[in-house]
mmCIF file of all heavy atoms in Angstrom:
data_model
loop_
_atom_site.group_PDB
_atom_site.id
_atom_site.type_symbol
_atom_site.label_atom_id
_atom_site.label_comp_id
_atom_site.label_asym_id
_atom_site.label_seq_id
_atom_site.Cartn_x
_atom_site.Cartn_y
_atom_site.Cartn_z
ATOM 1 N N HIS D 973 0.810 -1.224 0.000
ATOM 2 C CA HIS D 973 0.000 0.000 0.000
ATOM 3 C C HIS D 973 0.842 1.272 0.000
ATOM 4 O O HIS D 973 0.334 2.360 -0.262
ATOM 5 C CB HIS D 973 -1.044 -0.007 1.126
ATOM 6 C CG HIS D 973 -0.539 0.254 2.505
ATOM 7 N ND1 HIS D 973 -0.963 -0.467 3.595
ATOM 8 C CD2 HIS D 973 0.323 1.177 3.007
ATOM 9 C CE1 HIS D 973 -0.380 -0.017 4.685
ATOM 10 N NE2 HIS D 973 0.404 0.973 4.357
ATOM 11 N N GLY D 974 2.146 1.140 0.229
ATOM 12 C CA GLY D 974 3.036 2.286 0.115
ATOM 13 C C GLY D 974 3.877 2.262 -1.143
ATOM 14 O O GLY D 974 4.897 2.956 -1.234
ATOM 15 N N SER D 975 3.457 1.515 -2.139
ATOM 16 C CA SER D 975 4.255 1.292 -3.341
ATOM 17 C C SER D 975 4.503 2.576 -4.125
ATOM 18 O O SER D 975 3.566 3.267 -4.541
ATOM 19 C CB SER D 975 3.535 0.280 -4.244
ATOM 20 O OG SER D 975 4.091 0.259 -5.534
ATOM 21 N N ASN D 976 5.777 2.881 -4.356
ATOM 22 C CA ASN D 976 6.129 3.995 -5.238
ATOM 23 C C ASN D 976 5.704 3.696 -6.676
ATOM 24 O O ASN D 976 5.291 4.593 -7.410
ATOM 25 C CB ASN D 976 7.634 4.251 -5.191
ATOM 26 C CG ASN D 976 8.109 4.747 -3.843
ATOM 27 O OD1 ASN D 976 7.505 5.632 -3.238
ATOM 28 N ND2 ASN D 976 9.185 4.164 -3.347
ATOM 29 N N HIS D 977 5.831 2.439 -7.077
ATOM 30 C CA HIS D 977 5.447 2.050 -8.438
ATOM 31 C C HIS D 977 3.956 2.281 -8.666
ATOM 32 O O HIS D 977 3.550 2.749 -9.747
ATOM 33 C CB HIS D 977 5.795 0.575 -8.650
ATOM 34 C CG HIS D 977 5.394 0.047 -9.989
ATOM 35 N ND1 HIS D 977 5.998 0.425 -11.162
ATOM 36 C CD2 HIS D 977 4.432 -0.848 -10.335
ATOM 37 C CE1 HIS D 977 5.439 -0.204 -12.173
ATOM 38 N NE2 HIS D 977 4.490 -0.989 -11.708
ATOM 39 N N ALA D 978 3.138 1.984 -7.655
ATOM 40 C CA ALA D 978 1.693 2.137 -7.805
ATOM 41 C C ALA D 978 1.305 3.600 -7.993
ATOM 42 O O ALA D 978 0.543 3.942 -8.909
ATOM 43 C CB ALA D 978 0.978 1.535 -6.593
ATOM 44 N N ILE D 979 1.815 4.470 -7.130
ATOM 45 C CA ILE D 979 1.434 5.884 -7.252
ATOM 46 C C ILE D 979 2.008 6.476 -8.528
ATOM 47 O O ILE D 979 1.362 7.288 -9.197
ATOM 48 C CB ILE D 979 1.851 6.678 -5.989
ATOM 49 C CG1 ILE D 979 1.260 8.086 -6.026
ATOM 50 C CG2 ILE D 979 3.338 6.723 -5.795
ATOM 51 C CD1 ILE D 979 -0.249 8.143 -5.951
ATOM 52 N N ALA D 980 3.208 6.058 -8.923
ATOM 53 C CA ALA D 980 3.781 6.559 -10.183
ATOM 54 C C ALA D 980 2.918 6.145 -11.366
ATOM 55 O O ALA D 980 2.706 6.928 -12.308
ATOM 56 C CB ALA D 980 5.202 6.039 -10.350
ATOM 57 N N THR D 981 2.406 4.913 -11.347
ATOM 58 C CA THR D 981 1.549 4.445 -12.437
ATOM 59 C C THR D 981 0.307 5.302 -12.553
ATOM 60 O O THR D 981 -0.061 5.756 -13.648
ATOM 61 C CB THR D 981 1.151 2.974 -12.201
ATOM 62 O OG1 THR D 981 2.324 2.159 -12.163
ATOM 63 C CG2 THR D 981 0.216 2.473 -13.302
ATOM 64 N N VAL D 982 -0.356 5.540 -11.440
ATOM 65 C CA VAL D 982 -1.602 6.305 -11.456
ATOM 66 C C VAL D 982 -1.364 7.720 -11.960
ATOM 67 O O VAL D 982 -2.091 8.230 -12.833
ATOM 68 C CB VAL D 982 -2.217 6.323 -10.042
ATOM 69 C CG1 VAL D 982 -3.354 7.322 -9.959
ATOM 70 C CG2 VAL D 982 -2.690 4.929 -9.656
ATOM 71 N N VAL D 983 -0.339 8.376 -11.448
ATOM 72 C CA VAL D 983 -0.071 9.769 -11.797
ATOM 73 C C VAL D 983 0.281 9.913 -13.274
ATOM 74 O O VAL D 983 -0.260 10.774 -13.986
ATOM 75 C CB VAL D 983 1.064 10.326 -10.909
ATOM 76 C CG1 VAL D 983 1.561 11.668 -11.426
ATOM 77 C CG2 VAL D 983 0.593 10.457 -9.468
ATOM 78 N N HIS D 984 1.163 9.060 -13.771
ATOM 79 C CA HIS D 984 1.624 9.227 -15.144
ATOM 80 C C HIS D 984 0.656 8.648 -16.165
ATOM 81 O O HIS D 984 0.571 9.155 -17.294
ATOM 82 C CB HIS D 984 3.025 8.647 -15.288
ATOM 83 C CG HIS D 984 4.062 9.487 -14.612
ATOM 84 N ND1 HIS D 984 4.555 10.636 -15.171
ATOM 85 C CD2 HIS D 984 4.652 9.380 -13.391
ATOM 86 C CE1 HIS D 984 5.427 11.192 -14.352
ATOM 87 N NE2 HIS D 984 5.509 10.451 -13.264
ATOM 88 N N ALA D 985 -0.082 7.610 -15.802
ATOM 89 C CA ALA D 985 -1.113 7.112 -16.714
ATOM 90 C C ALA D 985 -2.167 8.185 -16.946
ATOM 91 O O ALA D 985 -2.586 8.427 -18.091
ATOM 92 C CB ALA D 985 -1.745 5.844 -16.142
ATOM 93 N N ARG D 986 -2.584 8.835 -15.879
ATOM 94 C CA ARG D 986 -3.588 9.892 -16.020
ATOM 95 C C ARG D 986 -3.068 11.015 -16.925
ATOM 96 O O ARG D 986 -3.816 11.559 -17.749
ATOM 97 C CB ARG D 986 -3.939 10.447 -14.642
ATOM 98 C CG ARG D 986 -4.883 11.640 -14.679
ATOM 99 C CD ARG D 986 -5.191 12.127 -13.277
ATOM 100 N NE ARG D 986 -5.950 11.124 -12.544
ATOM 101 C CZ ARG D 986 -6.061 11.115 -11.222
ATOM 102 N NH1 ARG D 986 -5.429 12.002 -10.492
ATOM 103 N NH2 ARG D 986 -6.788 10.182 -10.631
ATOM 104 N N ALA D 987 -1.795 11.355 -16.791
ATOM 105 C CA ALA D 987 -1.231 12.470 -17.557
ATOM 106 C C ALA D 987 -1.254 12.214 -19.058
ATOM 107 O O ALA D 987 -1.296 13.165 -19.851
ATOM 108 C CB ALA D 987 0.196 12.744 -17.093
ATOM 109 N N ILE D 988 -1.216 10.937 -19.466
ATOM 110 C CA ILE D 988 -1.212 10.641 -20.911
ATOM 111 C C ILE D 988 -2.518 9.987 -21.362
ATOM 112 O O ILE D 988 -2.609 9.462 -22.475
ATOM 113 C CB ILE D 988 -0.007 9.768 -21.301
ATOM 114 C CG1 ILE D 988 -0.072 8.390 -20.639
ATOM 115 C CG2 ILE D 988 1.303 10.460 -20.961
ATOM 116 C CD1 ILE D 988 0.965 7.406 -21.200
ATOM 117 N N GLY D 989 -3.532 10.024 -20.505
ATOM 118 C CA GLY D 989 -4.851 9.551 -20.900
ATOM 119 C C GLY D 989 -5.042 8.057 -20.900
ATOM 120 O O GLY D 989 -5.923 7.537 -21.586
ATOM 121 N N VAL D 990 -4.234 7.334 -20.106
ATOM 122 C CA VAL D 990 -4.375 5.878 -19.995
ATOM 123 C C VAL D 990 -5.104 5.562 -18.692
ATOM 124 O O VAL D 990 -4.656 5.976 -17.620
ATOM 125 C CB VAL D 990 -2.998 5.187 -20.008
ATOM 126 C CG1 VAL D 990 -3.129 3.706 -19.692
ATOM 127 C CG2 VAL D 990 -2.319 5.381 -21.357
ATOM 128 N N PRO D 991 -6.223 4.833 -18.738
ATOM 129 C CA PRO D 991 -6.888 4.457 -17.491
ATOM 130 C C PRO D 991 -6.026 3.485 -16.689
ATOM 131 O O PRO D 991 -5.334 2.631 -17.260
ATOM 132 C CB PRO D 991 -8.194 3.803 -17.946
ATOM 133 C CG PRO D 991 -7.938 3.380 -19.353
ATOM 134 C CD PRO D 991 -6.940 4.344 -19.929
ATOM 135 N N ALA D 992 -6.055 3.632 -15.362
ATOM 136 C CA ALA D 992 -5.172 2.829 -14.511
ATOM 137 C C ALA D 992 -5.917 2.343 -13.284
ATOM 138 O O ALA D 992 -6.862 2.974 -12.800
ATOM 139 C CB ALA D 992 -3.952 3.642 -14.085
ATOM 140 N N GLY D 993 -5.476 1.201 -12.795
ATOM 141 C CA GLY D 993 -5.964 0.659 -11.536
ATOM 142 C C GLY D 993 -4.793 0.137 -10.729
ATOM 143 O O GLY D 993 -3.699 -0.078 -11.256
ATOM 144 N N VAL D 994 -5.027 -0.075 -9.443
ATOM 145 C CA VAL D 994 -3.969 -0.511 -8.533
ATOM 146 C C VAL D 994 -4.512 -1.603 -7.631
ATOM 147 O O VAL D 994 -5.607 -1.477 -7.073
ATOM 148 C CB VAL D 994 -3.452 0.662 -7.677
ATOM 149 C CG1 VAL D 994 -2.431 0.172 -6.658
ATOM 150 C CG2 VAL D 994 -2.840 1.742 -8.552
ATOM 151 N N MET D 995 -3.748 -2.689 -7.500
ATOM 152 C CA MET D 995 -4.014 -3.723 -6.494
ATOM 153 C C MET D 995 -2.971 -3.558 -5.396
ATOM 154 O O MET D 995 -1.769 -3.584 -5.691
ATOM 155 C CB MET D 995 -3.893 -5.118 -7.100
ATOM 156 C CG MET D 995 -4.801 -5.387 -8.263
ATOM 157 S SD MET D 995 -4.488 -7.051 -8.952
ATOM 158 C CE MET D 995 -5.066 -6.795 -10.629
ATOM 159 N N ILE D 996 -3.429 -3.387 -4.166
ATOM 160 C CA ILE D 996 -2.484 -3.173 -3.073
ATOM 161 C C ILE D 996 -2.747 -4.147 -1.933
ATOM 162 O O ILE D 996 -3.874 -4.571 -1.700
ATOM 163 C CB ILE D 996 -2.542 -1.727 -2.537
ATOM 164 C CG1 ILE D 996 -3.967 -1.334 -2.125
ATOM 165 C CG2 ILE D 996 -1.993 -0.746 -3.564
ATOM 166 C CD1 ILE D 996 -4.049 0.023 -1.435
ATOM 167 N N PHE D 997 -1.654 -4.507 -1.251
ATOM 168 C CA PHE D 997 -1.740 -5.381 -0.087
ATOM 169 C C PHE D 997 -1.041 -4.686 1.083
ATOM 170 O O PHE D 997 -0.254 -3.757 0.890
ATOM 171 C CB PHE D 997 -1.121 -6.745 -0.379
ATOM 172 C CG PHE D 997 0.233 -6.697 -1.035
ATOM 173 C CD1 PHE D 997 1.390 -6.509 -0.289
ATOM 174 C CD2 PHE D 997 0.356 -6.832 -2.418
ATOM 175 C CE1 PHE D 997 2.635 -6.456 -0.893
ATOM 176 C CE2 PHE D 997 1.602 -6.778 -3.036
ATOM 177 C CZ PHE D 997 2.741 -6.591 -2.271
ATOM 178 N N PRO D 998 -1.322 -5.106 2.323
ATOM 179 C CA PRO D 998 -0.806 -4.380 3.489
ATOM 180 C C PRO D 998 0.714 -4.451 3.625
ATOM 181 O O PRO D 998 1.363 -5.394 3.167
ATOM 182 C CB PRO D 998 -1.481 -5.075 4.677
ATOM 183 C CG PRO D 998 -2.662 -5.779 4.100
ATOM 184 C CD PRO D 998 -2.254 -6.180 2.714
ATOM 185 N N GLN D 999 1.273 -3.437 4.265
ATOM 186 C CA GLN D 999 2.671 -3.415 4.663
ATOM 187 C C GLN D 999 2.763 -2.673 5.989
ATOM 188 O O GLN D 999 1.809 -2.007 6.399
ATOM 189 C CB GLN D 999 3.543 -2.712 3.611
ATOM 190 C CG GLN D 999 3.408 -1.198 3.557
ATOM 191 C CD GLN D 999 4.422 -0.571 2.625
ATOM 192 O OE1 GLN D 999 4.225 -0.547 1.412
ATOM 193 N NE2 GLN D 999 5.502 -0.048 3.183
ATOM 194 N N PRO D 1000 3.895 -2.770 6.698
ATOM 195 C CA PRO D 1000 4.032 -2.033 7.963
ATOM 196 C C PRO D 1000 3.862 -0.531 7.743
ATOM 197 O O PRO D 1000 4.271 0.016 6.715
ATOM 198 C CB PRO D 1000 5.454 -2.371 8.410
ATOM 199 C CG PRO D 1000 5.758 -3.679 7.764
ATOM 200 C CD PRO D 1000 5.054 -3.641 6.445
ATOM 201 N N HIS D 1001 3.285 0.124 8.720
ATOM 202 C CA HIS D 1001 3.065 1.565 8.618
ATOM 203 C C HIS D 1001 4.399 2.314 8.729
ATOM 204 O O HIS D 1001 5.288 1.941 9.490
ATOM 205 C CB HIS D 1001 2.119 2.039 9.726
ATOM 206 C CG HIS D 1001 0.697 1.610 9.507
ATOM 207 N ND1 HIS D 1001 -0.110 2.171 8.549
ATOM 208 C CD2 HIS D 1001 -0.054 0.662 10.119
ATOM 209 C CE1 HIS D 1001 -1.296 1.588 8.579
ATOM 210 N NE2 HIS D 1001 -1.284 0.662 9.529
ATOM 211 N N SER D 1002 4.506 3.361 7.936
ATOM 212 C CA SER D 1002 5.615 4.310 8.033
ATOM 213 C C SER D 1002 5.122 5.601 7.401
ATOM 214 O O SER D 1002 4.115 5.608 6.689
ATOM 215 C CB SER D 1002 6.858 3.794 7.289
ATOM 216 O OG SER D 1002 6.630 3.788 5.890
ATOM 217 N N GLU D 1003 5.826 6.684 7.628
ATOM 218 C CA GLU D 1003 5.380 7.959 7.044
ATOM 219 C C GLU D 1003 5.384 7.898 5.523
ATOM 220 O O GLU D 1003 4.530 8.488 4.857
ATOM 221 C CB GLU D 1003 6.256 9.117 7.525
ATOM 222 C CG GLU D 1003 7.702 9.059 7.072
ATOM 223 C CD GLU D 1003 8.484 10.315 7.441
ATOM 224 O OE1 GLU D 1003 8.309 11.326 6.748
ATOM 225 O OE2 GLU D 1003 9.252 10.272 8.413
ATOM 226 N N TRP D 1004 6.322 7.150 4.940
ATOM 227 C CA TRP D 1004 6.434 7.083 3.488
ATOM 228 C C TRP D 1004 5.318 6.218 2.902
ATOM 229 O O TRP D 1004 4.709 6.594 1.903
ATOM 230 C CB TRP D 1004 7.807 6.526 3.107
ATOM 231 C CG TRP D 1004 8.912 7.298 3.738
ATOM 232 C CD1 TRP D 1004 9.464 8.471 3.285
ATOM 233 C CD2 TRP D 1004 9.572 6.989 4.965
ATOM 234 N NE1 TRP D 1004 10.441 8.896 4.152
ATOM 235 C CE2 TRP D 1004 10.539 8.006 5.194
ATOM 236 C CE3 TRP D 1004 9.471 5.958 5.894
ATOM 237 C CZ2 TRP D 1004 11.369 8.013 6.304
ATOM 238 C CZ3 TRP D 1004 10.297 5.963 7.000
ATOM 239 C CH2 TRP D 1004 11.232 6.982 7.198
ATOM 240 N N ALA D 1005 5.053 5.076 3.534
ATOM 241 C CA ALA D 1005 3.989 4.197 3.046
ATOM 242 C C ALA D 1005 2.631 4.867 3.204
ATOM 243 O O ALA D 1005 1.793 4.822 2.292
ATOM 244 C CB ALA D 1005 4.027 2.872 3.797
ATOM 245 N N ASP D 1006 2.407 5.487 4.357
ATOM 246 C CA ASP D 1006 1.116 6.119 4.598
ATOM 247 C C ASP D 1006 0.896 7.312 3.659
ATOM 248 O O ASP D 1006 -0.228 7.574 3.230
ATOM 249 C CB ASP D 1006 1.012 6.564 6.054
ATOM 250 C CG ASP D 1006 0.959 5.382 7.020
ATOM 251 O OD1 ASP D 1006 0.768 4.244 6.561
ATOM 252 O OD2 ASP D 1006 1.125 5.603 8.240
ATOM 253 N N GLU D 1007 1.959 8.013 3.322
ATOM 254 C CA GLU D 1007 1.876 9.124 2.368
ATOM 255 C C GLU D 1007 1.428 8.624 1.008
ATOM 256 O O GLU D 1007 0.529 9.199 0.381
ATOM 257 C CB GLU D 1007 3.255 9.783 2.272
ATOM 258 C CG GLU D 1007 3.388 10.915 1.282
ATOM 259 C CD GLU D 1007 4.821 11.419 1.234
ATOM 260 O OE1 GLU D 1007 5.236 12.143 2.166
ATOM 261 O OE2 GLU D 1007 5.543 11.067 0.271
ATOM 262 N N ASN D 1008 2.018 7.534 0.542
ATOM 263 C CA ASN D 1008 1.631 6.991 -0.761
ATOM 264 C C ASN D 1008 0.219 6.431 -0.750
ATOM 265 O O ASN D 1008 -0.537 6.581 -1.717
ATOM 266 C CB ASN D 1008 2.618 5.908 -1.195
ATOM 267 C CG ASN D 1008 3.904 6.483 -1.764
ATOM 268 O OD1 ASN D 1008 4.070 7.690 -1.865
ATOM 269 N ND2 ASN D 1008 4.830 5.607 -2.122
ATOM 270 N N LEU D 1009 -0.165 5.769 0.341
ATOM 271 C CA LEU D 1009 -1.513 5.229 0.440
ATOM 272 C C LEU D 1009 -2.541 6.356 0.399
ATOM 273 O O LEU D 1009 -3.575 6.247 -0.283
ATOM 274 C CB LEU D 1009 -1.671 4.413 1.721
ATOM 275 C CG LEU D 1009 -3.067 3.819 1.958
ATOM 276 C CD1 LEU D 1009 -3.454 2.865 0.831
ATOM 277 C CD2 LEU D 1009 -3.123 3.111 3.310
ATOM 278 N N HIS D 1010 -2.266 7.436 1.092
ATOM 279 C CA HIS D 1010 -3.176 8.586 1.073
ATOM 280 C C HIS D 1010 -3.327 9.129 -0.346
ATOM 281 O O HIS D 1010 -4.433 9.424 -0.810
ATOM 282 C CB HIS D 1010 -2.648 9.684 2.000
ATOM 283 C CG HIS D 1010 -3.449 10.953 1.940
ATOM 284 N ND1 HIS D 1010 -3.134 11.981 1.060
ATOM 285 C CD2 HIS D 1010 -4.552 11.359 2.625
ATOM 286 C CE1 HIS D 1010 -4.015 12.956 1.210
ATOM 287 N NE2 HIS D 1010 -4.875 12.610 2.145
ATOM 288 N N ASP D 1011 -2.214 9.231 -1.054
ATOM 289 C CA ASP D 1011 -2.268 9.758 -2.421
ATOM 290 C C ASP D 1011 -3.020 8.813 -3.352
ATOM 291 O O ASP D 1011 -3.756 9.261 -4.237
ATOM 292 C CB ASP D 1011 -0.854 10.009 -2.945
ATOM 293 C CG ASP D 1011 -0.174 11.185 -2.250
ATOM 294 O OD1 ASP D 1011 -0.895 12.085 -1.772
ATOM 295 O OD2 ASP D 1011 1.073 11.196 -2.174
#
């Protein structure tokens, strides 16, 4: 759920008009993971 790859996919797919989805599974909480999950 804190995947950098996941948030990068969503952000850049949207920018070029490609629909995107994300499958996420749990990981330990951290400020970085929680930041990406929020986004």
Side-chain angles (χ1 to χ4, degrees):
H973 76 223
S975 166
N976 294 315
H977 178 69
I979 189 65
T981 299
V982 169
V983 168
H984 288 281
R986 175 180 294 162
I988 64 169
V990 172
V994 175
M995 302 177 205
I996 55 173
F997 48 82
Q999 74 173 81
H1001 288 287
S1002 69
E1003 65 173 283
W1004 306 277
D1006 292 348
E1007 177 183 284
N1008 281 359
L1009 178 61
H1010 174 269
D1011 290 333

